[in-house]
Amino acid sequence: MNEIKITAKNVNVFYGDKQALKDISIDIPARQVTALIGPSGCGKSTFLRSINRMNDVIDGCRLEGEIKLDSEDIYARGIDVVHLRARIGMVFQKPNPFPKSIYDNIAYGPKIHGLTTSSAEMDDLVMGALEKAGLIDEVRDRLDSPGTGLSGGQQQRLCIARAIAVEPEVILMDEPCSALDPIATARIEELIDELKENYTIVMVTHSMQQAARVSQKTAFFHMGELVEQGATEDIFTRPQDERTQAYITGRIG
Amino acid sequence: MEQSHIVKSFDDELKLINTTLAEMGGMAEAQLTKAVRALVTRDADLAREVVAEDSKIDALETELDRDAIRIIALRQPMATDLRMVITALKTSANLERIGDYAKNVAKRTITLIEMQPVGNTAHTIERMAELAQGLVGSVLDAYVKRDLAAADDVRMRDEEIDQLHTSLFRELLTHMMEDPHSITACTHLLFIAKNIERIGDHATNIAEYVHFMVSGETPDDERPKGDETSQTIITS
């Protein structure tokens, strides 16, 4: 039996009067890639953002139900959201490096979380994160140059390195390749494949081919409902629900 | 019927594959019928016609393969679309093989016409061929109608052809022992019977793919088999 990292149970999310997620229950297996797919507005990004409480900052957003990270309720009173977001990192659609050097982009998180005690330790941590993100060879000689000077794909890997630097357990990715060309996309996908050895990854993607390529589990959302979830291979070869079938074969948008 | 794709040209491409497959299936059935009629009526011209026509089935297979590969490359079909394209590819390969067997029956018929007929065996072969053709027809129907029950039924019906093949095999061996002059003709008839038995097997192969196409699962139960020729010994 696979170890479960995150459990959502009967999750409902409302933006004011509008219900964005209806009774979502799903287990996210540890050290695997779970892909969330579905048409725009289906609730997949809302669900992703519920996992590290990114929706807290949205006015009028309200969540019912339960989301547990290793059996700990992340919406319980007394949960330190900053600490939670260190455990559950996030990578966004558009690469968003800080307007700082490559080095400082990565060092920033560990610094505020107090993860290192000396500059030598910090150097190791930064280099380690760049290495894990597959970026080290491309930036070794220019760690002091601005992160924003990198190519789109490199910036995205820098953001992944930045997420890794605070030693998270889970990495959430919201369409991480949608702004990248196919080569940069392939690099990120290869990286995701390597990262899943150590991290639990949950990814929203509009590319069904990408979901098929990188994930082991796929969940299909439609109109705020979690219609179907299962092994990726099963979802793409023999989906059980007609709505899943219609969506992945290009019959509904 | 399933709803249409948002991209309509995708539907057209899938439809084209199905049209080609239906044409192939119809031709394979007709080839078998004609080949066996040529055998029973000892009509060499008809047999030669069958031999000549086979290349048309081959050409359709090539066409279907090309269209299916293009769909896989350009459309990246998923779920039922993927299963349909894979099933069409597999089905066309099996139909092409059925065409080859019909052609071989016709070629042997041309040779057999030069020799004395052997007993009543041609009629047993005709009966086998009717059953085989029935299977091919039914499985193509099941494909078109996405009919799981009909496909599974084809898998079960092949046993009867196997049984006829076994009894024909014994009959021909007995003929050969009684009259060594009939050995050449009987050997050709054995191959013909074997060809038709194989056609039945190809129809069941297609049935298994139709099962996969409709349900997403491959049939896991063993189908009944009645071909005992590989263990048959006739002693005088």
Side-chain angles (χ1 to χ4, degrees), chain B residues 101-160:
Chain B
Y101 284 123
K103 178 186 176 184
N104 189 265
V105 169
K107 279 164 90 175
R108 291 181 190 281
T109 295
I110 295 167
T111 312
L112 274 170
I113 291 169
E114 308 287 316
M115 293 174 255
Q116 282 296 313
V118 182
N120 206 21
T121 48
H123 287 283
T124 312
I125 289 175
E126 191 180 23
R127 175 72 195 128
M128 271 181 82
E130 278 166 12
L131 290 171
Q133 196 212 327
L135 289 191
V136 175
S138 302
V139 82
L140 291 171
D141 247 21
Y143 178 96
V144 171
K145 293 180 184 148
R146 306 283 190 268
D147 187 337
L148 189 65
D152 289 346
D153 184 51
V154 167
R155 291 183 69 230
M156 298 303 153
R157 271 160 53 198
D158 180 52
E159 194 183 7
E160 203 181 335

Side-chain angles (χ1 to χ4, degrees), chain A residues 2-235:
Chain A
N2 281 323
E3 185 193 332
I4 301 301
K5 188 69 188 172
I6 298 164
T7 306
K9 223 168 160 187
N10 308 113
V11 171
N12 291 288
V13 172
F14 303 84
Y15 292 123
D17 294 336
K18 195 182 167 293
Q19 186 165 5
L21 286 179
K22 295 170 191 162
D23 206 31
I24 306 298
S25 295
I26 185 174
D27 287 338
I28 309 278
R31 289 177 301 281
Q32 284 191 19
V33 181
T34 299
L36 312 180
I37 61 167
S40 295
C42 69
K44 58 190 188 300
S45 290
T46 297
F47 181 68
L48 190 79
R49 285 150 189 276
S50 303
I51 298 176
N52 69 347
R53 297 188 52 173
M54 289 281 291
N55 290 327
D56 287 13
V57 295
I58 298 173
D59 265 351
C61 182
R62 183 162 57 84
L63 181 138
E64 291 170 359
E66 190 178 77
I67 298 179
K68 283 181 170 174
L69 175 66
D70 292 331
S71 74
E72 184 184 2
D73 183 353
I74 65 165
Y75 283 88
R77 269 170 208 275
I79 287 283
D80 176 353
V81 175
V82 174
H83 178 63
L84 175 75
R85 290 185 194 142
R87 290 178 69 192
I88 305 179
M90 189 148 185
V91 175
F92 296 87
Q93 180 171 2
K94 205 164 161 280
N96 54 352
F98 302 135
K100 290 170 179 288
S101 71
I102 292 169
Y103 185 99
D104 287 339
N105 258 279
I106 295 167
Y108 183 80
K111 212 173 282 172
I112 57 171
H113 289 287
L115 294 185
T116 57
T117 51
S118 70
S119 64
E121 229 179 296
M122 183 60 89
D123 288 352
D124 285 350
L125 195 154
V126 168
M127 297 308 270
L130 284 170
E131 170 129 40
K132 282 188 205 152
L135 193 59
I136 185 77
D137 291 337
E138 291 155 73
V139 302
R140 197 189 301 278
D141 303 327
R142 44 170 172 157
L143 294 174
D144 295 330
S145 339
T148 47
L150 296 170
S151 74
Q154 288 170 332
Q155 286 188 25
Q156 196 60 303
R157 277 179 284 145
L158 179 63
C159 292
I160 291 172
R162 187 176 67 188
I164 292 170
V166 293
E167 295 167 9
E169 298 152 47
V170 178
I171 304 173
L172 308 179
M173 298 187 175
D174 194 353
E175 294 188 54
C177 300
S178 62
L180 304 182
D181 74 22
I183 303 293
T185 298
R187 290 225 171 87
I188 302 277
E189 288 181 3
E190 168 59 17
L191 176 57
I192 290 171
D193 209 45
E194 288 166 16
L195 292 176
K196 76 167 194 288
E197 302 291 317
N198 298 306
Y199 307 95
T200 300
I201 296 171
V202 187
M203 167 186 209
V204 162
T205 175
H206 270 135
S207 160
M208 280 176 288
Q209 279 74 24
Q210 181 168 62
R213 286 192 299 263
V214 305
S215 73
Q216 288 72 53
K217 176 170 181 165
T218 295
F220 170 62
F221 287 74
H222 189 235
M223 296 170 75
E225 285 176 53
L226 174 50
V227 171
E228 187 167 351
Q229 52 175 310
T232 296
E233 189 186 335
D234 289 339
I235 295 290

Side-chain angles (χ1 to χ4, degrees), chain A residues 208-210 212-213 234-240 242 244-253, chain B residues 2-7 10-11 14 75-83 212 215-218:
Chain A
M208 280 176 288
Q209 279 74 24
Q210 181 168 62
R213 286 192 299 263
D234 289 339
I235 295 290
F236 288 108
T237 58
R238 41 175 185 248
Q240 300 302 309
E242 273 177 34
T244 318
Q245 162 73 31
Y247 179 70
I248 65 173
T249 59
R251 288 175 168 89
I252 50 167
Chain B
E2 227 169 5
Q3 65 191 115
S4 308
H5 288 91
I6 297 164
V7 178
F10 189 9
D11 282 326
L14 292 174
R75 304 288 190 188
Q76 289 126 39
M78 298 269 196
T80 47
D81 295 334
L82 175 67
R83 303 204 304 263
F212 165 73
S215 71
E217 314 280 338
T218 40

Side-chain angles (χ1 to χ4, degrees), chain B residues 167-183:
Chain B
S167 78
L168 194 64
F169 187 84
R170 291 169 176 282
E171 196 181 329
L172 286 167
L173 290 190
T174 310
H175 273 299
M176 287 193 257
M177 278 189 297
E178 284 170 6
D179 177 12
H181 294 295
S182 72
I183 286 178

